[in-house]
């Protein structure tokens, strides 16, 4: 059988890694795919740049269209990134009848509905395992391995850069920006690293996960998104004293009223496996009605871990090239005409427990005012710690854990507490999930 020909757009961290893995493991890959897979063309912006891969035997040009319009190419790997010009490149590749493998979660979260519809019309595959959680085969696990289940919820550490920063800060007391710079040097961070630290990258990934879990269209704009920039070292310490770790989670949960889609720092009981996922590692916990909870763990970013997922997709496409095109696994797991319009809930409909830290005057009656406001909003307190005053200040940090409550009630209670003359500044609120 003739070899499958691959063209690679982008020879950076992921593109370079994919070339290395496809080349190094070519013999083993051919045994798995049933035919040889060869890279014939590639494209990068600056042809004089040193590369992490050899390009011997590959025609490299600075114009991606040279790859996309080459009639010999069967599969285009889109490893440039971004949701701008790359969208037209992918649509052109699809129009040319090419299968596409991409690691680009921002492109798919924003334009995936259109891209998948176009791919279906053209009868080509758009595969995206590398777009979520790096090396972890989480798309395959949910789309295929758990396809007999009703997925109830999933929660994941799905940004390697953010988890790397939180871990280094907690374990070594390192400075936020120094760790971010290291993550960039290691090739973990997005081209715009605010996508990592403000939760946007995790929201892109959660958008994809929620669609394949619940059979809904991609709806990035409806994801409630908070990053890690507001987490203070002191919150990490207080959380630990209460038996929790703070992790940045993406959570998708199906409720009777609709679907919660949220990305935010979260307190997790320290005994949970996912609370102990550190560094650039990612983990996704999926709760299916039949399987129960299952946890998927692995490197969330970096050249070869991500290339592992890219190459797995290439092999899947190579296998599918010889199978019945009508019977492929659907892009978003569910048949395209079977997507549901279950509403995605507004943030104030979320129900979760909370960690609250506030600075209150150290005098009688102040805590009573705070607890009265909480009670008025039907919010029960699970634990409360009053710390010693900092330096010679008259205010003391008060830390509370609440039971599960409606976000709308919590927002109202926080506004009232912050308005008390005895409370200084803003309340630091972090959501808490037991993931039980
Ligand atoms: P890099 O910045 O390392 O690589 C991007 C590549 O695209 C570079 O080789 C660059 O060329 C090339 N490029 C940029 N613009 C053009 C253009 N107009 N024409 C041709 N080539 C172009 O990014 P990454 O490899 O880190 O990321 C690639 C994708 O993978 C992104 O979508 C990212 O979100 C995703 N991803 C990244 C992971 C990671 O760990 N880094 C993990 C999972 C997904 P040049 O080198 O000459 O500048
Ligand atoms: N910037 C991303 C991260 C790359 O750190 O998780 C992997 O998607």
């Amino acid at each position: 059988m003739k070899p499958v020909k691959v063209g690679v757009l982008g020879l950076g961290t992921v593109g370079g890694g994919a070339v290395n893995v496809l080349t190094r493991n070519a013999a083993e890959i051919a045994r798995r795919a049933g035919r040889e897979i060869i890279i014939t063309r590639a494209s990068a912006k600056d042809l004089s740049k040193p590369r992490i891969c050899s390009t011997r035997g590959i025609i490299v040009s600075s114009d991606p269209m040279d790859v996309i319009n080459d009639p010999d190419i069967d599969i285009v790997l889109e490893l440039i990134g971004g949701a701008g010009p790359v969208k037209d490149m992918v649509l052109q590749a699809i129009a040319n009848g090419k299968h596409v493998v991409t690691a680009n979660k921002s492109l798919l979260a924003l334009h995936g509905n259109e891209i998948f519809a176009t791919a279906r019309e053209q009868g080509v595959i758009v595969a995206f395992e590398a777009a979520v959680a790096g090396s972890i085969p989480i798309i395959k696990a949910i789309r295929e391995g758990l396809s007999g289940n009703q997925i109830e919820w999933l929660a994941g550490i799905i940004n390697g850069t953010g988890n790397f920063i939180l871990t280094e800060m907690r374990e070594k007391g390192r400075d936020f920006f120094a760790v971010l710079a290291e993550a960039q040097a290691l090739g973990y961070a997005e081209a715009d690293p605010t996508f990592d630290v403000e939760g946007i990258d995790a929201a892109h990934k959660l958008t994809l996960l929620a669609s394949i879990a619940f059979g809904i269209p991609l709806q990035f704009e409806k994801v409630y998104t908070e990053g890690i920039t507001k987490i203070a070292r002191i919150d990490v310490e207080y959380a630990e004293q209460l038996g929790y770790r703070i992790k940045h989670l993406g959570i998708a949960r199906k409720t009777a009223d609709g679907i919660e889609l949220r990305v935010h720092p979260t307190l997790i009981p320290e005994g949970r496996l996912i609370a102990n996922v550190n560094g650039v590692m990612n983990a996704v916990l999926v709760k299916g009605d039949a399987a129960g909870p299952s946890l998927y763990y692995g490197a969330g970013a970096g050249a070869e871990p991500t290339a592992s997922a890219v190459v797995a997709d290439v092999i899947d496409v190579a296998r599918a090239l010889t199978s019945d095109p009508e019977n492929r696994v659907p892009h978003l797991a569910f048949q395209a005409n079977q997507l549901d319009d279950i509403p995605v809930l507004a943030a104030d409909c979320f129900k979760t427990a909370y960690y609250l830290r506030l600075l209150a005057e150290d005098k009688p009656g102040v805590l009573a005012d705070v607890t009265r406001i909480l009670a008025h909003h039907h919010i029960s307190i699970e634990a409360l710690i009053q710390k010693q005053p900092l330096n010679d200040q008259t205010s003391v940090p008060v830390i509370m854990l609440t039971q599960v409550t409606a976000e709308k009630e919590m927002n109202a209670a926080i506004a009232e507490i912050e308005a008390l003359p005895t409370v200084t500044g803003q309340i630091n609120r972090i959501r808490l999930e037991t993931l039980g």
Side-chain angles (χ1 to χ4, degrees):
M1 204 175 285
K2 74 182 173 70
V4 173
K5 292 192 178 154
V6 171
V8 185
L9 307 182
L11 289 171
T13 303
V14 182
V19 171
N20 282 335
V21 174
L22 276 167
T23 311
R24 187 175 74 235
N25 298 342
E28 193 86 345
I29 287 168
R31 286 175 59 212
R32 291 200 163 112
R35 56 208 286 196
E36 211 184 334
I37 297 175
I38 53 173
I39 305 165
T40 55
R41 276 193 180 270
S43 169
K45 204 154 137 189
D46 176 358
L47 298 186
S48 65
K49 229 186 207 177
R51 302 282 160 202
I52 59 169
C53 62
S54 161
T55 52
R56 191 160 354 125
I58 303 173
I59 304 167
V60 184
S61 77
S62 58
D63 185 355
M65 288 303 166
D66 292 344
V67 177
I68 293 164
N69 292 330
D70 180 338
D72 279 346
I73 299 281
D74 301 298
I75 309 175
V76 170
L77 309 193
E78 185 283 296
L79 304 170
I80 292 177
V86 161
K87 179 185 169 196
D88 291 336
M89 294 180 202
V90 166
L91 288 174
Q92 187 59 54
I94 292 169
N96 291 353
K98 318 284 184 205
H99 301 281
V100 175
V101 171
T102 180
N104 191 335
K105 52 272 171 166
S106 79
L107 175 72
L108 295 182
L110 270 62
H111 304 297
N113 295 320
E114 178 187 349
I115 288 171
F116 293 138
T118 313
R120 270 193 310 278
E121 281 163 20
Q122 288 294 322
V124 299
I125 298 170
V126 176
F128 57 97
E129 185 63 73
V132 183
S135 69
I136 306 174
I138 189 64
I139 303 294
K140 196 178 265 288
I142 299 176
R143 196 164 58 179
E144 298 177 45
L146 296 173
S147 56
N149 286 255
Q150 290 192 46
I151 306 296
E152 295 170 2
W153 54 263
L154 58 87
I157 296 171
I158 47 179
N159 183 268
T161 301
N163 203 40
F164 180 63
I165 294 172
L166 287 180
T167 305
E168 292 288 304
M169 284 172 67
R170 186 180 73 83
E171 290 183 352
K172 302 178 190 156
R174 290 182 62 196
D175 170 69
F176 182 100
F177 292 101
V179 190
L180 175 59
E182 188 181 344
Q184 289 178 287
L186 290 165
Y188 300 158
E190 294 304 298
D192 176 353
T194 58
F195 277 40
D196 295 289
V197 297
E198 296 296 357
I200 301 160
D201 178 70
H204 288 147
K205 292 165 177 166
L206 189 73
T207 303
L208 293 166
L209 288 176
S211 285
I212 60 166
F214 304 127
I216 55 172
L218 299 157
Q219 296 165 79
F220 167 70
E221 68 289 352
K222 296 195 181 152
V223 183
Y224 172 82
T225 306
E226 240 180 68
I228 59 169
T229 48
K230 290 193 196 124
I231 298 179
R233 168 102 206 124
I234 202 160
D235 293 318
V236 175
E237 281 167 19
Y238 291 158
E240 292 207 17
Q241 288 170 22
L242 290 158
Y244 293 84
R245 293 271 169 83
I246 299 179
K247 290 290 175 188
H248 189 248
L249 289 190
I251 298 173
R253 178 181 281 137
K254 197 172 184 178
T255 74
D257 302 321
I259 291 170
E260 289 183 5
L261 292 182
R262 48 195 172 102
V263 164
H264 51 70
T266 313
L267 268 75
I268 312 172
E270 66 187 2
R272 294 253 177 260
L273 285 173
I274 198 166
N276 295 284
V277 171
N278 292 320
V280 74
M281 304 308 277
N282 280 190
V284 184
L285 183 55
V286 185
K287 173 72 165 51
D289 67 334
S294 52
L295 180 67
Y296 307 84
Y297 171 81
E304 294 238 345
T306 311
S308 162
V310 170
V311 173
D313 275 347
V314 172
I315 295 170
D316 270 358
V317 175
R319 286 171 172 151
L321 285 173
T322 45
S323 70
D324 172 6
E326 295 302 316
N327 281 309
R328 289 178 191 149
V329 180
H331 290 114
L332 291 176
F334 291 70
Q335 297 298 327
N337 59 0
Q338 293 295 321
L339 294 188
D340 256 336
D341 58 0
I342 313 170
V344 174
L345 297 176
D348 64 4
C349 300
F350 297 162
K351 286 199 175 76
T352 181
Y354 295 84
Y355 159 102
L356 303 176
R357 173 168 59 82
L358 55 111
L359 209 53
E361 273 182 38
D362 188 16
K363 64 181 192 193
V366 173
L367 274 186
D369 286 343
V370 171
T371 53
R372 181 183 44 74
I373 292 171
L374 291 173
H376 177 72
H377 289 282
H378 317 289
I379 299 168
S380 304
I381 298 170
E382 179 81 30
L384 188 148
I385 311 177
Q386 182 174 324
K387 309 299 283 188
Q388 292 303 312
L390 300 171
N391 306 320
D392 53 356
Q393 290 175 2
T394 54
S395 293
V396 291
V398 176
I399 295 96
M400 278 180 277
L401 299 184
T402 75
Q403 291 187 352
V404 172
T405 189
E407 179 110 350
K408 187 164 39 178
E409 296 291 346
M410 182 51 82
N411 289 342
I414 286 178
E416 285 177 37
I417 296 170
E418 285 177 347
L420 290 172
T422 48
V423 169
T424 310
Q426 289 188 328
I427 294 181
N428 203 1
R429 165 243 310 258
I430 305 178
R431 293 168 191 86
L432 184 159
E433 295 285 344
T434 55
L435 305 178

